[in-house]
Amino acid sequence: MANILIIDDSPTDVRVFTTLLERAGHRVDAVNNAEDGIERVRVTQPDLVIMDVIMPGMNGFQATRTLTRDPATAGVPIVIITTKSMETDRVWGMRQGAKAFITKPVNEKELLACIDELLPNAA
């Protein structure tokens, strides 16, 4: 069981991810913007972050870069989940420090396998 933080401005996506992750036994917290997400990661040190890209204010690429370059949060793996499906988006997300890049709509088995790979002791 892992503590997972969702950073996504879509209430529908947050609800879908929360249901999926809780059903798999994980504890879930969520915020609806990148700035609050960065602060929540610094305070709570979740085991993993699910990051949207397109959000008002700071986008998910910027937030990922901020978290992975901060020594206090660099060890928290980030999975970008977005509608942005171009290869350049995937490459850019990974260059910002994301450990995985998944395109919406999300395949449940793919997401859970990705989490299991990144957090082998959380299963």
Side-chain angles (χ1 to χ4, degrees):
M1 178 186 317
N3 291 314
I4 299 175
L5 175 64
I6 300 169
I7 303 173
D8 195 321
D9 64 324
S10 166
T12 301
D13 286 344
V14 169
R15 189 169 43 255
V16 168
F17 296 146
T18 298
T19 300
L20 182 156
L21 294 168
E22 286 179 343
R23 191 170 54 232
H26 300 294
R27 289 183 299 272
V28 179
D29 189 13
V31 295
N32 64 7
N33 65 73
E35 294 85 356
D36 289 347
I38 290 167
E39 184 59 29
R40 187 74 55 93
V41 172
R42 287 179 176 146
V43 171
T44 66
Q45 292 291 309
D47 298 309
L48 183 129
V49 170
I50 290 178
M51 178 79 71
D52 186 23
V53 170
I54 303 169
M55 295 182 279
M58 180 185 280
N59 70 43
F61 291 139
Q62 294 165 315
T64 298
R65 183 172 53 247
T66 298
L67 289 168
T68 57
R69 291 191 178 161
D70 181 342
T73 56
V76 178
I78 298 172
V79 176
I80 291 178
I81 300 182
T82 182
T83 57
K84 295 177 76 61
S85 59
M86 300 288 293
E87 179 64 12
T88 53
D89 296 316
R90 187 193 69 74
V91 169
W92 186 246
M94 300 303 281
R95 287 190 67 196
Q96 304 316 301
K99 298 296 184 200
F101 189 98
I102 298 173
T103 303
K104 294 176 185 176
V106 174
N107 174 294
E108 180 176 346
K109 289 181 181 174
E110 178 186 7
L111 176 58
L112 294 176
C114 176
I115 291 169
D116 288 346
E117 184 178 314
L118 292 170
L119 303 173
N121 298 324

